[in-house]
Amino acid sequence: MEIDEKYMRRALQLARQGGGHASPNPMVGAVVVHDGIIIGEGFHRCCGKGHAEVNAIASVCDQSLLSASTIYVTLEPCSHYGKTPPCAKLLIDRGIRRVVVGVLDPFEKVSGRGVAKLREAGIEVEVGMLETECRELNKRFFTAHTTGMPWVQLKWAQSVDGYIANEDGSVRFSTPLTLSLMYRERSMADAIVVGVGTVKIDNPSLTTRHWSGNSPLRVVLDRSLSIPDDCKLLTDGGKTLVYNEKKEDVEGSIEWAKLDTSKPESWLRDLYRRGVTSVMVEGGANVLQQLLDAGVWNEIRIETSPISLGGGIKAPQVDMKNAVSQEIDGNVIELFNYC
């Protein structure tokens, strides 16, 4: 058992390297072991490319050793044909002797079928090694495929006296370092959501330009279609989805979708149907409060600066007594999980 835990921890280390690139697929790591020696490693680098098991098997120099080897995989091997062939079939074809799985895949096209195929082929399979850690690694993926809505992070920065902006517009509370960490968070999300008021005030790009990783789909909640025609989200060539109640159209990289923007569950479920498994909601205050009131969020990230505004737009009020906090560059970043 201790040996299995050792190699699964290595698989988890590998899996994390896919952060910011693998989504909407999960982060997965795999380790091939023969006679107590690691002979192959791999992780899922990018959606649409080889899965962790494929990369780990391909890295083994002497393929004849596979029939006497164990592979450790953080997530159940897939059993269906998607953008790549099923990994369960690969393990069967390569004659792997034993498979140790961290956690079963919640995706309905897999969900136990991969393990069943392996066992039907006579392969010894063990499930649940470091299950809690493996599930936490892909909390966004698990939440989406078990609830039918993306994992939701609410994020804002505020002054020490609790304001997210002054009356004239936004204020930069982040330092260069904490801003880079925020871009890292963005890279982990499939979509980033703002209200049209934020677009008018800040004219944001909503990209991961200061961090290596995928830029998320930009989503604007704009009930009455008042988004400025010359804003960056409509003119920089990036993909943007505008939820509104008047227009349904696709214009190049811009999509207009008719939907009731006052009900967060509506646009969250629509995003899931579009393949989005996680969203970061950046504001403004009304949009953030709307999700808080509806109770459709999973994590809150608040960055508090020592700057005092003395007035302006109030930050949403939440009870953060159980938050995990860290001081970085003079600012305090708090994370609070819904459950």
Side-chain angles (χ1 to χ4, degrees), residues 91 163 173 193 201 204 261 285 322:
L91 300 183
Y163 295 94
F173 295 116
V193 180
I201 294 171
T261 59
N322 294 320

PDB file of all heavy atoms in Angstrom, residues 91 163 173 193 201 204 261 285 322:
ATOM      1  N   LEU A  91      -4.249   0.026 -22.859  1.00  0.00           N
ATOM      2  CA  LEU A  91      -3.650  -0.746 -21.774  1.00  0.00           C
ATOM      3  C   LEU A  91      -3.868  -2.242 -21.974  1.00  0.00           C
ATOM      4  O   LEU A  91      -2.978  -3.048 -21.690  1.00  0.00           O
ATOM      5  CB  LEU A  91      -4.227  -0.300 -20.429  1.00  0.00           C
ATOM      6  CG  LEU A  91      -4.015   1.176 -20.052  1.00  0.00           C
ATOM      7  CD1 LEU A  91      -4.567   1.451 -18.666  1.00  0.00           C
ATOM      8  CD2 LEU A  91      -2.555   1.569 -20.131  1.00  0.00           C
ATOM      9  N   TYR A 163     -14.257  48.488  -0.518  1.00  0.00           N
ATOM     10  CA  TYR A 163     -14.801  49.004  -1.781  1.00  0.00           C
ATOM     11  C   TYR A 163     -14.042  48.376  -2.953  1.00  0.00           C
ATOM     12  O   TYR A 163     -12.826  48.199  -2.893  1.00  0.00           O
ATOM     13  CB  TYR A 163     -14.674  50.525  -1.849  1.00  0.00           C
ATOM     14  CG  TYR A 163     -15.512  51.242  -0.813  1.00  0.00           C
ATOM     15  CD1 TYR A 163     -14.961  51.612   0.412  1.00  0.00           C
ATOM     16  CD2 TYR A 163     -16.846  51.540  -1.061  1.00  0.00           C
ATOM     17  CE1 TYR A 163     -15.723  52.257   1.381  1.00  0.00           C
ATOM     18  CE2 TYR A 163     -17.629  52.197  -0.101  1.00  0.00           C
ATOM     19  CZ  TYR A 163     -17.060  52.544   1.117  1.00  0.00           C
ATOM     20  OH  TYR A 163     -17.829  53.182   2.063  1.00  0.00           O
ATOM     21  N   PHE A 173      -5.870  47.515  -7.422  1.00  0.00           N
ATOM     22  CA  PHE A 173      -5.493  47.098  -6.081  1.00  0.00           C
ATOM     23  C   PHE A 173      -4.349  46.083  -6.100  1.00  0.00           C
ATOM     24  O   PHE A 173      -3.600  45.969  -5.134  1.00  0.00           O
ATOM     25  CB  PHE A 173      -6.683  46.466  -5.358  1.00  0.00           C
ATOM     26  CG  PHE A 173      -7.824  47.417  -5.099  1.00  0.00           C
ATOM     27  CD1 PHE A 173      -9.053  47.227  -5.687  1.00  0.00           C
ATOM     28  CD2 PHE A 173      -7.648  48.509  -4.258  1.00  0.00           C
ATOM     29  CE1 PHE A 173     -10.101  48.091  -5.443  1.00  0.00           C
ATOM     30  CE2 PHE A 173      -8.695  49.389  -4.008  1.00  0.00           C
ATOM     31  CZ  PHE A 173      -9.930  49.183  -4.611  1.00  0.00           C
ATOM     32  N   VAL A 193     -16.415  35.537 -16.758  1.00  0.00           N
ATOM     33  CA  VAL A 193     -17.706  36.208 -16.880  1.00  0.00           C
ATOM     34  C   VAL A 193     -17.666  37.594 -16.245  1.00  0.00           C
ATOM     35  O   VAL A 193     -17.170  37.757 -15.122  1.00  0.00           O
ATOM     36  CB  VAL A 193     -18.816  35.372 -16.212  1.00  0.00           C
ATOM     37  CG1 VAL A 193     -20.166  36.066 -16.328  1.00  0.00           C
ATOM     38  CG2 VAL A 193     -18.881  33.977 -16.827  1.00  0.00           C
ATOM     39  N   ILE A 201     -16.826  50.343 -18.050  1.00  0.00           N
ATOM     40  CA  ILE A 201     -15.919  51.096 -17.179  1.00  0.00           C
ATOM     41  C   ILE A 201     -14.454  50.765 -17.434  1.00  0.00           C
ATOM     42  O   ILE A 201     -13.606  51.647 -17.560  1.00  0.00           O
ATOM     43  CB  ILE A 201     -16.253  50.813 -15.702  1.00  0.00           C
ATOM     44  CG1 ILE A 201     -17.637  51.365 -15.356  1.00  0.00           C
ATOM     45  CG2 ILE A 201     -15.200  51.408 -14.775  1.00  0.00           C
ATOM     46  CD1 ILE A 201     -18.133  50.949 -13.985  1.00  0.00           C
ATOM     47  N   PRO A 204     -11.938  45.777 -20.471  1.00  0.00           N
ATOM     48  CA  PRO A 204     -10.915  44.752 -20.207  1.00  0.00           C
ATOM     49  C   PRO A 204     -10.647  43.847 -21.406  1.00  0.00           C
ATOM     50  O   PRO A 204     -11.469  43.724 -22.313  1.00  0.00           O
ATOM     51  CB  PRO A 204     -11.536  43.953 -19.066  1.00  0.00           C
ATOM     52  CG  PRO A 204     -13.013  44.019 -19.348  1.00  0.00           C
ATOM     53  CD  PRO A 204     -13.249  45.401 -19.892  1.00  0.00           C
ATOM     54  N   THR A 261     -30.684  36.687 -18.602  1.00  0.00           N
ATOM     55  CA  THR A 261     -29.442  36.943 -17.866  1.00  0.00           C
ATOM     56  C   THR A 261     -29.665  37.150 -16.370  1.00  0.00           C
ATOM     57  O   THR A 261     -28.704  37.197 -15.606  1.00  0.00           O
ATOM     58  CB  THR A 261     -28.729  38.182 -18.436  1.00  0.00           C
ATOM     59  OG1 THR A 261     -29.600  39.325 -18.339  1.00  0.00           O
ATOM     60  CG2 THR A 261     -28.359  37.965 -19.902  1.00  0.00           C
ATOM     61  N   ALA A 285     -20.097  44.307  -9.215  1.00  0.00           N
ATOM     62  CA  ALA A 285     -20.686  44.005  -7.923  1.00  0.00           C
ATOM     63  C   ALA A 285     -22.072  43.379  -8.054  1.00  0.00           C
ATOM     64  O   ALA A 285     -22.423  42.455  -7.309  1.00  0.00           O
ATOM     65  CB  ALA A 285     -20.759  45.281  -7.085  1.00  0.00           C
ATOM     66  N   ASN A 322     -14.087  31.320   7.770  1.00  0.00           N
ATOM     67  CA  ASN A 322     -13.384  30.045   7.577  1.00  0.00           C
ATOM     68  C   ASN A 322     -12.446  30.078   6.370  1.00  0.00           C
ATOM     69  O   ASN A 322     -12.017  29.037   5.890  1.00  0.00           O
ATOM     70  CB  ASN A 322     -14.402  28.909   7.410  1.00  0.00           C
ATOM     71  CG  ASN A 322     -15.204  28.673   8.679  1.00  0.00           C
ATOM     72  OD1 ASN A 322     -14.663  28.724   9.773  1.00  0.00           O
ATOM     73  ND2 ASN A 322     -16.495  28.429   8.520  1.00  0.00           N
TER      74      ASN A 322
END
